[in-house]
């Protein structure tokens, strides 16, 4: 098969488009014929990308945690999927990813591909939408009538966090550059604060939840705008020295694969309550350029690698 493999640790310059061995599904595994995968620029810098599950080094890893495609083969013991089924999912770390013709998945990582989406649009959903879902609901417990502030709302995770919060019935405030204003209001934002001209803590009333997708000083300044009893969630920075401040809870997590949650998200996608945002599509052979474009930042949504022709 053709694949993108990392020959050395670091940025996109280590990515090589080349032949690689065809993977074979073991017991309890699924072989997916990949149609598309989404770019996660930071994946090239994560320790987990270069490790086996036991922590030992993994040579020439294939990136790509998001997968959309069809079931090509089933390992022993897999009975709840059928060959030819269109699926999408988030692949766990510790094995090769989906920037290749074929990828190995576990059944519980996969869900039926939403019937209203093509593979390119399905591929941008799993990691980003699951991160947003797990931040808003398991971590923050967001419910209708609350107010949420989302930092980085125009990015891959942020577009889903905004749409899911709006669907829930929350009042949604976001920070973004002025050029993203109309785009974010169209997705359901009630208030857009231009972070280049306005300090959000000077413009935002106390909110029930902050979802931080930026980190650094933005995270540190966010404590001041959360109500006592509210929650500050970050998927960028690990917990600070304190996990609560003036009655504000702090939550940090790493997204986990969940076919069950993707089924719920898929229903919202098919119902039109949530839509995926694709910034650009590159062929698999141009993965280096795609990762460079994603790493440059300021994309609307995510960048896709199209694998199947």
């Amino acid at each position: 098969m053709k694949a993108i493999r990392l020959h050395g640790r670091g940025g996109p310059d280590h990515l090589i488009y080349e032949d690689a061995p065809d993977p074979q599904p073991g017991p309890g595994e699924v072989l997916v014929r990949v149609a598309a995968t989404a770019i996660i620029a930071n994946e090239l810098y994560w320790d987990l990308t270069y490790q086996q599950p036991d922590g030992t080094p993994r040579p020439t890893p294939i990136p790509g945690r998001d997968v959309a495609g069809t079931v090509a083969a089933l390992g022993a013991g897999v009975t709840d999927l059928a060959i030819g089924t269109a699926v999408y999912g988030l692949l766990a770390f510790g094995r090769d990813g989906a920037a290749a013709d074929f990828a190995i998945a576990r059944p519980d990582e996969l869900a039926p591909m939403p019937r209203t989406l093509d593979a390119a649009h399905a591929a941008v959903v799993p990691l980003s939408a699951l991160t947003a879902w797990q931040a808003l609901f398991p971590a923050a417990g967001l419910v209708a009538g609350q107010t949420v502030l989302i930092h980085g709302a125009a990015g891959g995770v942020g577009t889903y966090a905004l749409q899911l919060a709006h669907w829930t019935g929350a009042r949604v405030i976001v920070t973004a550059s002025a050029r993203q204003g109309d785009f974010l209001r169209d997705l359901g934002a009630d208030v857009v604060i231009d972070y280049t001209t306005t300090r959000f803590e000077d413009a935002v009333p106390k909110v029930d939840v902050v979802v931080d997708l930026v980190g650094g000083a933005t995270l540190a300044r966010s404590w001041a705008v959360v109500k006592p009893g509210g929650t500050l969630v970050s998927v960028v920075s690990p917990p600070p020295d304190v996990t609560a401040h003036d009655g504000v809870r702090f939550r940090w997590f790493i997204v986990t694969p969940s076919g069950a949650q993707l089924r719920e998200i898929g229903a919202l996608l098919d119902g039109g309550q949530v839509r995926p945002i694709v910034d650009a599509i590159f062929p698999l052979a141009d993965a280096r350029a795609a990762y460079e474009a994603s790493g440059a930042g300021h994309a609307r949504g995510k960048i896709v690698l199209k694998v199947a022709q």
Side-chain angles (χ1 to χ4, degrees), residues 41-263:
N42 289 339
E43 184 183 358
L44 304 188
Y45 305 95
W46 292 338
D47 290 342
L48 292 172
T49 300
Y50 302 90
Q51 296 175 354
Q52 306 283 7
D54 62 4
T56 57
R58 187 155 58 91
T60 60
I62 297 172
R65 297 299 103 196
D66 289 305
V67 63
T70 55
V71 175
L74 302 173
V78 179
T79 59
D80 53 350
L81 285 169
I83 293 174
T85 301
V87 293
Y88 76 142
L90 172 63
L91 305 179
F93 284 96
R95 62 179 184 274
D96 283 332
D101 289 331
F102 294 95
I104 297 293
R106 293 196 307 264
D108 61 358
E109 296 168 346
L110 301 174
M113 191 185 302
R115 65 181 185 277
T116 57
L117 301 185
D118 60 19
H121 286 79
V124 303
V125 174
L127 181 138
S128 293
L130 284 172
T131 302
W133 182 280
Q134 292 169 19
L136 290 171
F137 305 127
L142 184 72
V143 296
Q146 292 185 322
T147 300
V148 58
L149 170 63
I150 301 170
H151 298 303
V157 176
T159 54
Y160 293 103
L162 164 53
Q163 293 178 85
L164 288 170
H166 176 73
W167 164 73
T168 300
R171 182 170 186 261
V172 187
I173 304 171
V174 302
T175 59
S177 62
R179 70 183 183 89
Q180 305 285 15
D182 290 343
F183 166 65
L184 295 173
R185 278 184 282 269
D186 183 56
L187 292 181
D190 296 292
V191 179
V192 179
I193 297 172
D194 181 0
Y195 70 86
T196 67
T197 61
T198 304
R199 288 171 54 86
F200 65 84
E201 57 267 50
D202 296 333
V204 174
K206 293 283 187 177
V207 300
D208 299 284
V209 175
V210 171
V211 176
D212 169 51
L213 306 172
V214 177
T218 299
L219 172 60
R221 289 160 49 204
S222 293
W223 288 100
V225 299
V226 187
K227 295 177 181 177
T231 306
L232 171 55
V233 183
S234 177
V235 300
V236 180
S237 302
D241 293 337
V242 293
T243 56
H245 179 75
D246 292 337
V248 175
R249 297 182 299 272
F250 182 85
R251 298 289 183 266
W252 174 78
F253 68 96
I254 297 174
V255 63
T256 56
S258 174
Q261 290 174 354
L262 281 176
R263 286 177 180 268

